[in-house]
Amino acid sequence: MGGTVTVTDGKLTAAAVLPVVMRGRLAVVAVLASLVVLLLGVRYAGDSGPGRTDARIGEAAYGVGAPWWHLAHATDFLGDPGGALLLLTAGVIGCLRARRTRAAVLLLAGPGLAVGVTRLLKPLAARTINGDDNLAFPSGHTAFLTAFALALALLAAGRSGLGPTSGTVLALAAASAAGALMGWAQVATGAHYPTDTVGGCCTALAVVPAVAWAVDRVADARHPHKG
């Protein structure tokens, strides 16, 4: 994460956390992801059991034996407060050591707001699992790890100077891999239905690009420099 600069609209600014060449494509991704969350939320609103798709996938993933059970629990820990704090601390320290303040802000705000949105959506969807007190949709654990991976991928794409296609592919691949891993862990441990994890992943895809854009806008507005 080097201290590179970019020139945008005649202004010399610190490296953007949302590469300009990727903004249009990630905006489309964010809109589509928001629609998926909305549709799934409406479809499963008020449910207390798995849908047909959930049942089929859950049957294959739930109750795995060792060593997969240990891997599922280890992955689940990364979405718990303790595990999330470890990941965020390591990421932020790395950004600050590289003098990438706005990158550190993104690593904190992106996953944090993604999880916050899931908490706001859960009572609206009112889908439950393992009892009426356990709101399920969308998965906050999945949203966190997806958002963290997506934020890292955006920073990597910007530092490497990737084009719009390769940069977007990297971002979506990282987010999808992290979302799939945490989603599997949530289903394997019985914490969520598969569609809950899809909702969590899509929540991150909708939130993080918007947060990255906002971080760049605020940072550039506070520290404008003529090019």
Side-chain angles (χ1 to χ4, degrees):
M1 301 177 188
T4 57
V5 297
T6 57
V7 178
T8 306
D9 297 330
K11 296 179 180 179
L12 189 66
T13 64
V17 291
L18 181 62
V20 176
V21 295
M22 295 170 59
R23 288 178 183 175
R25 299 191 181 197
L26 288 181
V28 174
V29 170
V31 171
L32 293 176
S34 298
L35 290 175
V36 171
V37 174
L38 176 61
L39 293 174
L40 288 176
V42 171
R43 166 63 181 83
Y44 295 106
D47 282 4
S48 58
R52 182 177 301 177
T53 301
D54 290 317
R56 290 178 178 176
I57 299 176
E59 183 178 356
Y62 178 69
V64 294
W68 303 109
W69 177 255
H70 301 297
L71 176 60
H73 275 276
T75 302
D76 176 71
F77 171 72
L78 296 178
D80 289 340
L85 181 60
L86 288 176
L87 288 178
L88 292 175
T89 300
V92 169
I93 289 176
C95 291
L96 294 179
R97 286 177 61 87
R99 299 181 181 180
R100 292 287 306 276
T101 304
R102 70 171 72 183
V105 172
L106 175 63
L107 281 182
L108 285 174
L113 287 177
V115 172
V117 170
T118 66
R119 292 184 177 178
L120 292 175
L121 293 176
K122 282 182 177 181
L124 296 177
R127 189 187 197 189
T128 59
I129 186 172
N130 302 326
D132 294 338
D133 295 332
N134 296 315
L135 297 175
F137 182 90
S139 166
H141 277 61
T142 309
F144 170 77
L145 197 61
T146 303
F148 185 76
L150 178 55
L152 287 178
L154 291 178
L155 300 179
R159 176 174 172 77
S160 302
L162 298 180
T165 300
S166 55
T168 303
V169 169
L170 172 63
L172 293 182
S176 298
L181 177 62
M182 182 60 81
W184 165 77
Q186 295 305 293
V187 176
T189 58
H192 281 284
Y193 305 116
T195 45
D196 297 334
T197 69
V198 173
C201 183
C202 288
T203 298
L205 289 173
V207 170
V208 172
V211 173
W213 176 84
V215 169
D216 285 332
R217 292 281 291 184
V218 172
D220 291 345
R222 291 184 60 185
H223 304 288
H225 298 283
K226 294 296 183 180

